[in-house]
Amino acid sequence: MKKKFATALSGSALLVLALSGCTGDDSDAKVNAWAKTVCDQAQPQIQKRADAQQAIIATAADGKPADIQAADSKAFQDIAAANKALAAAVQEAGTPPVENGEKLQQDAVKELNATSVAYLDLKKKVDALDPKDQQKFADGLQGVADGLAKIEKMDQDSLSKLQSGELGQAMAKEPGCQKVKPSSTANPGSDASAPASKPSNASGPSKSPATSKSADE
């Protein structure tokens, strides 16, 4: 089950606000200025998302149920906070100076806020699981993975609106909106103020026979 969960999460882990997906030249100073305003604020949030998503993947691979629960709960909370901050950054930047800029901004803000709420809902579901009951935990984890797949699509939709045309080209050139690597010194189970990136299984937690059986199904 944990292997299936890790697989389901892999797509979300790669979705790290990759605004650098667009290419091309853009000489419009106003568009570039808008992109810089957003991307300067986005960089720490992109890093937070990358760290949190890496923690989910690394722990789901072969972690113990209690470790998976703790890492996922914190990661979902961190991603929710990051998305909320990204929504605020887009809102505060004002209307993008492009065609249909107001609608692009409103849609992106609305969907980023919606995914923030959705991640918090996933956190509640993870927190409610009983890691001592292997089968129920595995079943509950599958439900979380299914929910995460839906949120991933919401995330993609919210970002695609900013990745298009002039805005996408301008953001692609901003360092703050580039892809980032997860931090390598954090522990997912550590204090909430620290980045969640170091796999909680870095020390090689062992599996009990019961855990191993349910994990590999």
Side-chain angles (χ1 to χ4, degrees), residues 53-136:
Q53 291 163 339
Q54 175 61 25
I56 295 174
I57 291 297
T59 310
D62 59 2
K64 296 178 181 178
D67 293 336
I68 293 174
Q69 183 180 44
D72 289 356
S73 178
K74 183 182 183 304
F76 291 150
Q77 180 175 330
D78 286 350
I79 297 173
N83 278 17
K84 185 175 182 179
L86 287 168
V90 174
Q91 182 67 51
E92 292 170 5
T95 303
V98 296
E99 185 178 358
N100 296 321
E102 183 175 2
K103 187 176 189 306
L104 286 173
Q105 180 195 36
Q106 291 177 348
D107 288 348
V109 169
K110 178 180 179 181
E111 289 168 7
L112 282 167
N113 279 324
T115 57
S116 177
V117 172
Y119 276 114
L120 288 178
D121 286 342
L122 279 187
K123 170 180 163 53
K124 293 178 182 178
K125 292 181 179 180
V126 168
D127 290 343
L129 298 179
D130 182 3
K132 296 180 180 179
D133 188 321
Q134 297 288 340
Q135 188 57 54
K136 287 185 178 181

Side-chain angles (χ1 to χ4, degrees), residues 13 15-17 44-56 79 82 179-183 196-197:
L15 184 64
V16 189
L17 199 65
Q45 309 310 325
I46 296 173
Q47 185 68 61
K48 180 182 288 187
R49 282 172 55 111
D51 291 345
Q53 291 163 339
Q54 175 61 25
I56 295 174
I79 297 173
K179 293 181 180 180
V180 298
K181 294 182 179 180
S183 302
S197 66

